Amino acid sequence: MKRVGILGGSFDPPHIGHFLIAQDVLEILGLDELYFLVTYRPPHRKIRADFEDRIKMVELMLPGPPFYVSDFESRLKFAPTYTAIVLAEWKKRRKDEELFFIMGSDQFVNIDTWYEYESLFEFANIVVCEREKKPIPKDFKFKERVLLLNTRRIEISAKEIRRRIKEGKNIYLMVHPEVEEYIFKKGLYRK
């Protein structure tokens, strides 16, 4: 059975921290493939760049196999795109894969607020990468149901990058050079 990682996110914009975490998880877990699943219409987050721009930026960031960008959510016939439903659809269409859904501890500490969060554990192994700003509490009730990985902690956020662009500050090495070029060429995040 193919071991497949899914790193979901808005990637608004994708940054070096996203890629380094993905690379660490791929190597630690011995995954065959890792997909950057770009969120189409997230229920809890405002998106600044169009879906097509976010897909393109992820493509520019990735070196190629075993890393892939996925527009899977945009092909589903529902909105908003709740993770539980997306993973159920992925599993239904790609039965020959063992899924590993990757998230940061900043997301995981709020997992019990997600739509049908219990079903996430049925469709995929949940992989949590701890972030310094949001460590997992020692007594958190779902901690025993996840793979807690010690990956590099790159404290870069898309929010910080958007703020720096708006303020006219440098984002050099925070994003892939081709992503930086794309952002400035398209005039993204200036407002």
Side-chain angles (χ1 to χ4, degrees), residues 9-170:
S10 58
F11 303 112
D12 195 20
H15 55 71
I16 295 302
H18 292 131
F19 181 74
L20 292 175
I21 286 170
Q23 182 173 283
D24 284 350
V25 171
L26 180 101
E27 291 172 357
I28 292 167
L29 296 179
L31 301 179
D32 298 300
E33 298 174 348
L34 194 144
Y35 288 85
F36 283 72
L37 179 64
V38 180
T39 305
Y40 186 58
R41 291 188 184 136
H44 306 297
R45 181 171 284 184
K46 181 183 176 192
I47 299 297
R48 275 73 174 184
D50 290 339
F51 181 73
E52 293 77 18
D53 287 324
R54 292 179 291 122
I55 287 283
K56 183 63 178 173
M57 287 188 284
V58 174
E59 285 175 352
L60 290 169
M61 177 180 73
L62 298 180
F67 299 101
Y68 303 91
V69 64
S70 175
D71 66 352
F72 184 74
E73 284 194 19
S74 71
R75 293 182 272 129
L76 299 175
K77 304 292 183 210
F78 58 86
T81 48
Y82 292 106
T83 303
I85 297 171
V86 172
L87 288 181
E89 286 297 316
W90 185 293
K91 195 72 176 162
K92 189 187 307 180
R93 298 173 193 203
R94 300 173 67 150
K95 294 178 175 66
D96 64 332
E97 298 175 346
E98 181 180 7
L99 294 182
F100 294 82
F101 185 73
I102 305 153
M103 65 173 60
S105 56
D106 54 328
Q107 297 169 314
F108 181 68
V109 295
N110 296 316
I111 199 168
D112 56 351
T113 66
W114 290 24
Y115 176 79
E116 295 185 6
Y117 70 92
E118 284 284 347
S119 67
L120 297 175
F121 300 100
E122 296 171 29
F123 302 123
N125 299 292
I126 306 300
V127 178
V128 178
C129 303
E130 204 155 15
R131 293 192 68 172
E132 198 167 306
K133 292 180 182 177
K134 286 281 188 175
I136 297 174
K138 292 186 182 348
D139 60 345
F140 196 73
K141 63 183 174 179
F142 302 109
K143 195 171 180 177
E144 72 284 348
R145 297 177 70 181
V146 301
L147 297 166
L148 183 59
L149 295 187
N150 188 12
T151 58
R152 285 176 274 196
R153 295 181 184 183
I154 309 297
E155 295 299 326
I156 297 173
S157 72
K159 182 178 181 178
E160 175 189 8
I161 292 167
R162 291 190 306 266
R163 179 186 52 78
R164 291 182 67 83
I165 293 168
K166 190 175 181 180
E167 294 172 357
K169 293 181 179 175
N170 194 329

